[in-house]
Amino acid sequence: MRLPLTYVVAVLSYASCVRSSFSSQCLAFNPQNSIFNATLTVREYVTAGTNILFPDNDASCGRPSQAVSVDLCRIALHVPTSNRSSITMELWLPETWQGRRVLASGNGGIDGCIEYENLAYGTQHGFATVAANNGHNGTGGHDFLNNPDVIIDYAWRSLHTSISQTKSLASKFYGNTYQKSYYIGCSLGGRQGIGAADRFPSDFDGIIAGSPAVDFNHLYAWRASFYPITGKSTSANFINASLWSTIHTEVLRQCDTLDGVQDGIIEDSSLCHFRPEALLCSNGTTANCLSPAQVDIVNNIYSPFYGSDGKLIFPAMQPGNELLAASGLYSGMPWPLSQDWYRYVLLNQSDWDQATFDLADAMLADEINPSNIRTWPTTLEPFSSRGGKILTFHGGQDQQITSYNSPRLYNHLASGRDASSTQLDEFYRFFRISGMGHCEGGPGAWAFGQLGGSPAVGVPYEPSSNALAAIVDWVEKDEAPETMTGTKFVNDDPTMGISFQRNHCRYPRRNTYTGGNASNPDNWQCKYV
Ligand SMILES: *[C@@H]1O[C@H](CO)[C@@H](O)[C@H](O)[C@H]1NC(C)=O
Ligand SMILES: *[C@@H]1O[C@H](CO)[C@@H](O)[C@H](O)[C@H]1NC(C)=O
Ligand SMILES: *[C@@H]1O[C@H](CO)[C@@H](O)[C@H](O)[C@H]1NC(C)=O
Ligand SMILES: *[C@@H]1O[C@H](CO)[C@@H](O)[C@H](O)[C@H]1NC(C)=O
Ligand SMILES: *[C@@H]1O[C@H](CO)[C@@H](O)[C@H](O)[C@H]1NC(C)=O
Ligand SMILES: *[C@@H]1O[C@H](CO)[C@@H](O)[C@H](O)[C@H]1NC(C)=O
Ligand SMILES: *[C@@H]1O[C@H](CO)[C@@H](O)[C@H](O)[C@H]1NC(C)=O
């Protein structure tokens, strides 16, 4: 059928009129005027399909560009936070603002990296989305040295400033008050989310806090402890990547079928009591086996980290992540994040050698507790009583933050509130994601929209299978997520189809195989066992 020409012209001119009015609304917006001493550094109208380039972004952030899938107004601001510190915040305002929602993104490591993928993800789903550089640029910690204001930005002020400004700027821009405020972040970003609920209980209504770097001081001490345990990569008993691969095979031999399914995934690694002694060299063999000193190293890595007073500093690393950790914490190199934290924040000594790390250094981190970064709340009461919700998760093969730290926080909150898990789950739900590494990746069904970028690609935007959709429904409809369905794509490539899915359970339930095809999520059940 041919449409009358007048109709076609009318539709086209309507579309271009809408477009140009949004673009002129964008280009006329002066957010800097309402923020003390702020400078507008970018204001541009961006159309769907654009790949935005960031030539000035610190190369160590590894984010030279970002594709966007909706029309939006991109604002970047330089905002002073004190007379010797500032943040860079990017506020992306989608043309179609859905549900009058705002969303803030967190950061990672000790970095000052804007997570552009979360800006794209949030705007794709209609959120006015903000992400900031956390007070410094790049992945290193040098900017912290002798500048406590930069540390304050990192600990809480960058996020608090950027979400506070976003609420008023989005309301101004759209001419309508925002309704609900959300947060998404993993790792350090998980800590920022839990920290925001603790410190600023009205900043957010819904928080996705993945693999949270909580009990931060002890985490940084624990991470520093690996290098003295493994020794340098040139030392006599160093366990190299190929030997870690042998160890991984033995871990799976001992523990993979504890859950009834041989699939390279230890559904609950807390049930795996790995014994590296099974790999002791004997009968003169030296290949693919462990010397007694190497057995000690492995046992040390899988043991809780205690202080000289006998108190727990940090829980043990879980077995199962050997292939991922071999090039990270077990690599025989200083862990760069702990090294910079000790050098530039705690000791103020730029040449500190992590090989000298000892228990006194571990204690020091918590004694200084810069800007109260520890993040170990006991109740989160003000947040929960105003209706806030937290969706948290942790990968069962995390190679950077042991997955045992998240049950520890869950239990700490439960006892702090004197709450049963049913009561705690009214506002705080923790999902254990089997077979997932740090925030994403691994052999498990790890994609569930927990972050922008690959965790969100190919996953339907539905509460059962997408964390962002889930937190919105929980906050706005009081429909809490029962399970999170994770997807494993063939070769982690969504265009190649789904390999399998699993319905991840919320702690303390455990995913339990009930027979039949294990790729079918219905053949598993969440049980208290
Ligand atoms: C961070 O980089 C941005 C450019 O991407 C720049 O405008 C800002 O001044 C830098 N901030 C600091 C603290 O160096
Ligand atoms: C704000 O700008 C004024 C004028 O440039 C400057 O003197 C003052 O130090 C600035 N304040 C902050 C907190 O950056
Ligand atoms: C910066 O502000 C602090 C108070 O926060 C003040 O003590 C200090 O003198 C100021 N420094 C400069 C250079 O203005
Ligand atoms: C790893 O260590 C084993 C001995 O433990 C040795 O046989 C092997 O050659 C080493 N591999 C590499 C790549 O260095
Ligand atoms: C060591 O060698 C002896 C004699 O060949 C054999 O009986 C024994 O099973 C071997 N032990 C191991 C652990 O391979
Ligand atoms: C290093 O400097 C920070 C302030 O930036 C301070 O809190 C800390 O105590 C100092 N560390 C030592 C060992 O003096
Ligand atoms: C198990 O289910 C998956 C996904 O539905 C399917 O691809 C696979 O062929 C099934 N395996 C068997 C042995 O039936």
Side-chain angles (χ1 to χ4, degrees), residues 64 112 145 150 378 469 495 498:
L145 185 62
V150 176
T378 41
T495 66
I498 292 173

Side-chain angles (χ1 to χ4, degrees), residues 292-358:
Q294 289 173 325
V295 165
D296 284 349
I297 289 171
V298 174
N299 275 326
N300 216 339
I301 284 176
Y302 294 131
S303 299
F305 185 37
Y306 291 108
S308 39
D309 56 4
K311 287 192 180 141
L312 181 76
I313 296 175
F314 214 69
M317 182 63 102
Q318 80 282 319
N321 65 4
E322 297 73 27
L323 300 182
L324 298 167
S327 59
L329 286 169
Y330 311 165
S331 67
M333 305 278 286
W335 181 249
L337 307 182
S338 288
Q339 177 150 293
D340 274 19
W341 191 253
Y342 271 91
R343 284 182 170 179
Y344 303 123
V345 179
L346 299 176
L347 299 169
N348 313 315
Q349 186 189 326
S350 302
D351 61 355
W352 178 72
D353 178 359
Q354 199 177 313
T356 68
F357 173 85
D358 60 16

Side-chain angles (χ1 to χ4, degrees), residues 123-144:
T123 48
Q124 179 190 352
H125 297 292
F127 296 79
T129 309
V130 69
N133 77 339
N134 225 12
H136 67 288
N137 288 329
T139 53
H142 192 270
D143 292 340
F144 294 131

